[in-house]
Amino acid sequence: MPTVVMVGGGQLARMTHQAAIALGQSLRVLAASPDESAAQVARDVVLGRHDDLDALRKAASGSTVLTFDHEHVPPQHLETLISEGVNVQPPPAALIHAQDKLIMRRRLEAIGAPVPPFAEVQSVADAEKFAETHGYPFVLKATRGGYDGKGVWIVDNAAELEKLVTESLAAGTTLLAEEKVNMRRELSAMVARSPLGQGATWPVVETVQRNGVCAVVMAPAPALADSTAAQAQQLALRIAETLGVTGCLAVELFETEDGRILVNELAMRPHNSGHWTMDGAVTSQFEQHIRATLDYPLGDTSPTAPVTVMANILGADNPPTMSMDERVHHLCARMPEAKVHLYGKGERPGRKLGHVNVRGTGTGSHHDAEYVHQVREKAEMAAHWLIHAVWTDGWDPHSGH
Ligand code: ADP
């Protein structure tokens, strides 16, 4: 059996390991510590950092393919591994577009993909020039290293501009400025591509962020025009092919108030916007990532329910005294249809601890607002319960109503 190595021991590696098991494999994980999500459950764990070449070499030794659960491995290390015969998927020439937002913006613009107006910012004057043309508020972003909204700032006026740009540049953070998009909502188009060039797309989904963190995903995106969905899927496939992406690619999109789509950013790995596929599609993103990086034929991406909603379990500011085990127990009793995925992490405010998937039953459609609402409410209620040990509808587990 092949050995797939994943750099990074977080929940994405943990769930990829689950999929590897079903294929008769066992994921090898490069984790920074034995208590990381994936290191808790995989047998084949190499302990070390993702930016340590020797640790990467050790993890890659004897592997069939090396892939990632995050995008932070230095490209020069990957080039070294390739020169030593390691099969790296996605290759560093593609991955750079998920590592550096300025390189990504420039490349997408060059291939004619729709992106918000942007500019590189190397000085306060650069940012002032951008503000003169595009006005306030605008968005300032760290070109590298951001995640979950860290490294993204809304700039409202000249004083803020000067402070943010001066401090960031002094700290060595490279920057870009971007128009603040007047958006209706955020979407994600998830595709997979194999080295041979086979592509597959899941339905386009809507992602709901709270405090810069993904909270809810609705699949397919409610009431999205079929033509816009097809356009987003074709765009994602074209980006995957043009950039030479292999494995999963999530194309995060803005749907503007006037109905256009713009690319926000790219992730070349399983992604939070694809967690619904574990229970709502014939092939999950985790299985597909393994198949795609190994150059197997890809799996069927058809949805298995009219609508599936994923709600993240994000650590509460004040975690309840009831144990997580007891919370899960109660959820099982009240909502047998809810599928719980926990990542084995300790509770900390805002931390992604797991997610719940709920599939819509019977006949329904993502164009039916009431049907979507019912599935979403159930998923959000389940996640809220697991986070706070409180039922939002006041349900009492002891009386049963
Ligand atoms: P991260 O790498 O931290 O995920 P993103 O570039 O995806 O950063 O931005 C995080 C969030 O900030 C987005 O999901 C969106 O809600 C908001 N955002 C980012 N860029 C813009 C923009 N140009 N206009 C409006 N909102 C934006």
Side-chain angles (χ1 to χ4, degrees):
M1 278 296 165
T3 301
V4 178
V5 179
M6 194 166 258
V7 178
Q11 64 263 23
L12 301 177
R14 180 182 173 109
M15 292 183 275
T16 306
H17 178 54
Q18 268 178 273
I21 293 168
L23 295 171
Q25 306 173 24
S26 183
L27 197 71
R28 182 185 298 163
V29 176
L30 176 63
S33 101
D35 40 76
E36 285 187 355
S37 290
Q40 291 172 23
V41 295
R43 183 181 56 83
D44 194 357
V45 178
V46 176
L47 289 178
R49 288 183 53 89
H50 64 272
D51 52 3
D52 173 350
L53 181 58
D54 287 332
L56 289 163
R57 280 191 175 119
K58 200 169 157 202
S61 169
S63 68
T64 314
V65 61
L66 178 133
T67 188
F68 312 96
D69 100 331
H70 60 71
E71 37 269 330
H72 305 308
V73 181
Q76 66 273 21
H77 288 354
L78 297 176
E79 295 295 355
T80 305
L81 292 177
I82 290 170
S83 72
E84 293 169 359
V86 178
N87 175 20
V88 176
Q89 304 292 346
L95 193 63
I96 190 70
H97 302 93
Q99 294 177 318
D100 187 308
K101 288 178 179 169
L102 187 60
I103 293 177
M104 178 268 291
R105 282 268 174 272
R106 286 186 170 145
R107 185 73 190 277
L108 292 186
E109 186 177 54
I111 68 170
V115 293
F118 68 96
E120 183 176 11
V121 171
Q122 288 183 324
S123 63
V124 170
D126 286 347
E128 283 170 349
K129 195 168 152 227
F130 188 84
E132 266 166 38
T133 317
H134 299 280
Y136 291 99
F138 71 91
V139 180
L140 192 70
K141 291 186 177 182
T143 61
R144 292 185 177 225
Y147 65 97
D148 286 348
K150 293 176 182 64
V152 176
W153 305 276
I154 309 287
V155 184
D156 286 312
N157 53 53
E160 263 181 42
L161 178 155
E162 173 151 11
K163 186 171 183 300
L164 270 170
V165 173
T166 308
E167 286 177 4
S168 301
L169 293 177
T173 306
T174 50
L175 297 171
L176 68 88
E178 196 168 278
E179 189 173 276
K180 183 167 186 296
V181 176
N182 196 2
M183 70 177 99
R184 186 182 292 166
R185 55 178 171 174
E186 296 190 49
L187 305 172
S188 173
M190 184 105 193
V191 300
R193 182 176 173 275
S194 68
L196 203 64
Q198 191 190 2
T201 74
W202 286 274
V204 176
V205 302
E206 175 175 344
T207 63
V208 179
Q209 334 287 324
R210 290 188 191 129
N211 306 318
V213 181
C214 174
V216 176
V217 172
M218 289 173 277
L224 183 65
D226 292 346
S227 57
T228 312
Q231 186 197 344
Q233 288 177 317
Q234 281 159 16
L235 175 64
L237 284 171
R238 185 159 74 84
I239 291 171
E241 191 183 347
T242 313
L243 271 49
V245 180
T246 51
C248 286
L249 168 70
V251 179
E252 294 180 24
L253 301 161
F254 299 134
E255 186 182 14
T256 63
E257 285 293 357
D258 55 2
R260 290 173 301 129
I261 52 171
L262 299 174
V263 179
N264 176 28
E265 69 167 343
L266 308 178
M268 295 179 195
R269 50 171 169 76
H271 186 253
N272 205 159
S273 67
H275 288 357
W276 69 275
T277 61
M278 295 175 89
D279 300 297
V282 175
T283 306
S284 79
Q285 61 166 348
F286 300 102
E287 178 181 340
Q288 198 79 302
H289 191 72
I290 294 173
R291 290 164 77 135
T293 53
L294 283 171
D295 217 359
Y296 285 8
L298 301 181
D300 183 350
T301 48
S302 308
T304 55
V307 169
T308 300
V309 177
M310 188 254 15
N312 270 344
I313 303 163
L314 301 167
D317 288 340
N318 298 301
T321 49
M322 185 189 290
S323 72
M324 183 60 92
D325 177 42
E326 197 178 344
R327 285 175 250 164
V328 171
H329 186 118
H330 280 291
L331 179 69
C332 292
R334 184 172 180 194
M335 272 189 211
E337 69 277 32
K339 305 301 288 183
V340 179
H341 301 271
L342 291 174
Y343 310 150
K345 293 176 170 180
E347 287 185 73
R348 267 197 247 130
R351 197 176 194 201
K352 288 180 179 172
L353 306 175
H355 66 272
V356 182
N357 286 333
V358 174
R359 302 192 318 165
T361 53
T363 50
S365 152
H366 63 290
H367 291 294
D368 176 347
E370 183 50 33
Y371 183 84
V372 173
H373 173 74
Q374 282 176 12
V375 185
R376 176 176 180 174
E377 195 167 45
K378 222 182 251 183
E380 290 220 61
M381 192 187 284
H384 191 278
W385 166 258
L386 291 174
I387 295 167
H388 299 287
V390 171
W391 290 110
T392 45
D393 62 351
W395 195 74
D396 177 356
H398 300 293
S399 68
H401 48 74

